[in-house]
Amino acid sequence: MHQTIDYIDQLTFPPQGHVTIGEANSSLVHISGQEDPKRRAFINTYGAQRDALQVPSRNTPLPEPPVLKEPKEQETGFLGATQIPPKAWTIDTVKDTIPAWVPIDTIEKQIRQLGVDKYFQSVESAWNTARDIWNDIREIEDMGDKLAHLLIRTIAFHPFHPVLAIALWDNSVWIYDLSHKAWHASPLAHRTYQSRVMTLQWKPMSGTILTVGCEAGVSVWHVYRGKYIQDPFSGRDNTPALSQEKSSTSPNFGKDPTWDGVSRFGCLGVDQMAWDPRGELLAVSSSARSSTVYIRDGATNQIAELAGTLPHVSRSKTSPVKVSILTNKVCVLAWSPSGEHLVVGYQSGLMRVFSTATWEAVDISDLGGAVQSACWTPDGYNLIYTLVDDHVIRALHFEKRGGELNWIKLNYVTLSLQENDIRRYQNEGESPAKTELRRRLGGVELEDLRAFGPVEQVVLDPNGERLVVRFRNTDLLGVVLVRPTGTPLRDLDIFMPLGFIRGPASRQTHQGQSLGGEVAFRDPKVVAMSFASRFESGSLLSLAWESGAITFTPFYYLSQQRIDTRL
């Protein structure tokens, strides 16, 4: 039987005013400044740190994107992308589908005449249903606004090159090459057809294709290496220069990026997008507009629909669940590392696991809520996930027995400071133990403690051994060690929290809040995280901060795979 283990009383916070520069063999390194001896020792052992990037504020004019050629006729490219996308779907274009207002007494009369009192016992229930429908329609208009205030919308590492894609507040996507410490010369932008960028995904097994989930669908780009500029945001003359890589024999080396157009699906406002590991199938959906997952075959451009009401094989540990189309919108898509399964999480609290061989599905309905974030371990046996408005880190272990997919819940962990913890700490009397508590909490006064809130995102490194946790209400990031399980399962414990990452302090005045004539600054929080697919001696995490900074945090450790290789 699984259990939840709370580690908050065993963890030490980074000291106030310190910055985390990385991990050294299961120990996070926090420094007070450039002259800190721990920084010099870290560099002497592992090499120089990667420089942080800084994107400009909204008041800084950005370089103009290149003018894209518009074809005279509709052309179809990769993923069925067309350069004449559909008209944007707004309230004005769907107003004819909204029924005219009907008086409450008329609704009540119709309910009695239709004999459906057993479904709607009062006018109140009918009103609640109508209100839910209207709220859903309002979400259509508001789609994408959740990212509109951010300087950096999202980031994504290339599947095998040290290249990072960065979507900015103006919906342009910039490419940074870590190996050359330089930016690609041209941004990826289209003023008309690439608005409200919400997600980025590089195509696996491809060196060039980047897909951008946006309002119109999926914008498809071909990105080529070789032409760089040092600082596109400085305002100085940045003449693009070709790289001197003599090893490159690609005919596309040094070419400007090309836009295939927008791949159209049955939904607009794509914020859920995932490639299968082979780069053959692209799954997309819209969490505000659709309960359907669309699967597009990159080779044939054919689209299959996995509807929220699709018939399925249910072997839930509770009774099968019937989910309303209004509450069954997609919130998570996650392919297993082998591509054998696609997990779809719905806002109703249902998780559906599709077998990609037959597209039959089994349901897991006893999760306790809607899935907020999810990632597979590289061996394909474990799915790590969190729930909406919840602070617990959870995991399911999957195995096939007798040809059927079975699962078991692993032990959960939490490393989130909650209101109950704060009250407990503050109620302790003055004593040596309370002094030690202040030290463990990074020197912060107990009166200034703030709850971390629920988990917003979890990301797992390519080795499957470092899990980074982003919380809603704190700038600290949790780091959890993950133990590979294999099969058969021998132990329910796979998590061991390591500590917390603290980022750079805020230098931006807009982060402050007025308090009695003074301005109190809070440190910026992380808005997006992405692990590099390859990194020698561990893993490399990229963090995008509210302040517009992008930092790189290395984790130096000997992975289990390398240990096994040496044996």
Side-chain angles (χ1 to χ4, degrees):
M1 184 69 179
H2 77 282
Q3 59 180 323
T4 300
I5 305 172
D6 191 343
Y7 284 92
I8 191 62
D9 290 337
Q10 304 175 34
L11 297 174
T12 299
F13 290 21
Q16 289 286 315
H18 285 54
V19 175
T20 307
I21 60 172
E23 177 202 340
N25 292 322
S26 302
S27 178
L28 294 173
V29 179
H30 317 291
I31 62 170
S32 59
Q34 296 295 316
E35 302 304 319
D36 193 314
K38 289 184 290 185
R39 176 178 181 271
R40 291 197 294 270
F42 191 84
I43 292 176
N44 289 338
T45 304
Y46 300 109
Q49 295 175 266
R50 294 184 181 273
D51 294 332
L53 308 177
Q54 180 66 50
V55 304
S57 68
R58 294 174 181 271
N59 298 325
T60 304
L62 295 181
E64 288 292 326
V67 177
L68 300 176
K69 295 181 180 180
E70 298 292 344
K72 295 181 180 180
E73 299 179 358
Q74 180 166 319
E75 299 177 0
T76 300
F78 177 73
L79 277 183
T82 59
Q83 299 188 1
I84 305 179
K87 184 179 179 182
W89 187 17
T90 65
I91 287 292
D92 291 335
T93 59
V94 300
K95 61 185 179 181
D96 293 337
T97 67
I98 304 174
W101 175 259
V102 180
I104 293 296
D105 57 349
T106 302
I107 295 176
E108 187 177 25
K109 181 179 178 181
Q110 290 177 345
I111 289 174
R112 287 196 300 269
Q113 290 176 347
L114 294 173
V116 292
D117 292 318
K118 62 181 179 179
Y119 300 106
F120 298 100
Q121 295 297 328
S122 66
V123 175
E124 181 182 4
S125 61
W127 168 252
N128 289 338
T129 302
R131 181 190 61 193
D132 291 341
I133 295 173
W134 175 245
N135 287 337
D136 273 29
I137 294 174
R138 287 184 61 189
E139 286 182 6
I140 296 172
E141 189 69 12
D142 295 339
M143 188 61 195
D145 288 348
K146 60 185 178 181
L147 301 179
H149 68 287
L150 301 176
L151 291 177
I152 301 173
R153 287 175 168 264
T154 187
I155 58 177
F157 258 112
H158 193 280
F160 47 86
H161 288 313
V163 171
L164 184 67
I166 305 163
L168 301 187
W169 54 269
D170 68 338
N171 297 299
S172 64
V173 179
W174 290 81
I175 310 298
Y176 183 78
D177 194 312
L178 278 71
S179 61
H180 290 85
K181 298 181 181 180
W183 298 82
H184 282 215
S186 300
L188 316 181
H190 196 295
R191 295 189 180 279
T192 305
Y193 300 136
Q194 187 172 292
S195 64
R196 289 183 175 180
V197 171
M198 288 167 274
T199 181
L200 301 173
Q201 289 281 326
W202 292 92
K203 180 180 182 291
M205 312 303 289
S206 166
T208 65
I209 296 173
L210 175 67
T211 49
V212 181
C214 56
E215 177 68 14
V218 176
S219 187
V220 182
W221 292 87
H222 290 265
V223 182
Y224 307 106
R225 303 180 76 192
K227 186 185 290 187
Y228 303 105
I229 52 179
Q230 290 301 314
D231 188 358
F233 310 123
S234 65
R236 299 188 297 269
D237 180 28
N238 276 289
T239 303
L242 281 177
S243 167
Q244 300 301 313
E245 291 178 278
K246 297 181 180 180
S247 60
S248 177
T249 58
S250 170
N252 293 319
F253 185 79
K255 286 181 57 177
D256 290 331
T258 58
W259 182 60
D260 260 9
V262 174
S263 183
R264 301 166 56 176
F265 294 84
C267 64
L268 297 176
V270 172
D271 62 350
Q272 300 293 331
M273 179 170 62
W275 282 99
D276 82 308
R278 295 182 296 275
E280 297 173 355
L281 304 176
L282 178 65
V284 305
S285 190
S286 170
S287 63
R289 299 178 178 177
S290 179
S291 62
T292 300
V293 177
Y294 298 88
I295 309 291
R296 185 152 222 161
D297 189 318
T300 65
N301 288 332
Q302 293 182 341
I303 297 179
E305 297 183 8
L306 306 179
T309 54
L310 186 75
H312 57 277
V313 179
S314 179
R315 291 189 288 106
S316 171
K317 293 178 174 60
T318 60
S319 58
V321 175
K322 294 182 179 180
V323 185
S324 165
I325 195 72
L326 293 176
T327 60
N328 206 26
K329 293 174 183 174
V330 175
C331 53
V332 164
L333 296 173
W335 293 90
S336 65
S338 65
E340 185 179 2
H341 296 103
L342 173 64
V343 164
V344 182
Y346 297 92
Q347 293 177 6
S348 61
L350 173 70
M351 179 187 290
R352 184 161 289 171
V353 185
F354 288 93
S355 169
T356 57
T358 61
W359 293 111
E360 289 187 337
V362 295
D363 288 349
I364 304 174
S365 58
D366 55 353
L367 299 177
V371 177
Q372 170 74 27
S373 181
C375 52
W376 287 89
T377 55
D379 57 17
Y381 291 120
N382 306 310
L383 181 74
I384 300 171
Y385 67 98
T386 61
L387 302 181
V388 174
D389 294 329
D390 187 69
H391 63 279
V392 178
I393 302 166
R394 307 160 186 260
L396 294 173
H397 179 81
F398 290 92
E399 290 184 13
K400 273 193 173 182
R401 299 173 187 167
E404 291 189 342
L405 186 66
N406 292 269
W407 62 91
I408 184 173
K409 292 181 179 179
L410 303 179
N411 284 343
Y412 304 159
V413 297
T414 174
L415 61 160
S416 175
L417 185 67
Q418 299 298 304
E419 293 290 351
N420 290 338
D421 301 316
I422 295 175
R423 285 193 292 268
R424 177 163 52 87
Y425 294 160
Q426 293 175 344
N427 289 335
E428 290 189 9
E430 288 296 334
S431 64
K434 195 164 188 176
T435 302
E436 172 61 21
L437 175 63
R438 288 194 186 96
R439 184 203 64 80
R440 188 174 64 79
L441 296 177
V444 65
E445 293 296 329
L446 300 186
E447 295 75 17
D448 296 332
L449 288 175
R450 297 292 181 268
F452 288 4
V455 174
E456 290 281 276
Q457 182 187 10
V458 291
V459 292
L460 186 65
D461 78 348
N463 301 318
E465 298 184 37
R466 295 297 183 270
L467 182 77
V468 178
V469 185
R470 177 166 65 92
F471 303 96
R472 179 179 298 171
N473 299 327
T474 181
D475 60 301
L476 297 179
L477 300 171
V479 179
V480 180
L481 307 185
V482 180
R483 181 176 58 82
T485 59
T487 184
L489 182 66
R490 295 181 175 87
D491 191 349
L492 296 182
D493 284 323
I494 67 168
F495 298 124
M496 175 56 68
L498 179 62
F500 298 98
I501 293 173
R502 187 186 294 281
S506 173
R507 295 192 180 99
Q508 306 221 2
T509 57
H510 70 269
Q511 298 289 349
Q513 296 179 345
S514 178
L515 296 174
E518 298 180 355
V519 177
F521 294 92
R522 67 169 176 81
D523 289 337
K525 294 183 292 188
V526 169
V527 298
M529 309 186 292
S530 180
F531 270 106
S533 299
R534 299 180 182 181
F535 186 72
E536 197 69 27
S537 304
S539 55
L540 179 67
L541 175 67
S542 176
L543 300 172
W545 302 83
E546 283 179 316
S547 59
I550 299 175
T551 58
F552 301 95
T553 304
F555 295 80
Y556 292 105
Y557 66 95
L558 193 60
S559 68
Q560 187 63 49
Q561 182 179 8
R562 294 188 67 185
I563 293 175
D564 294 342
T565 302
R566 293 184 177 186
L567 295 179

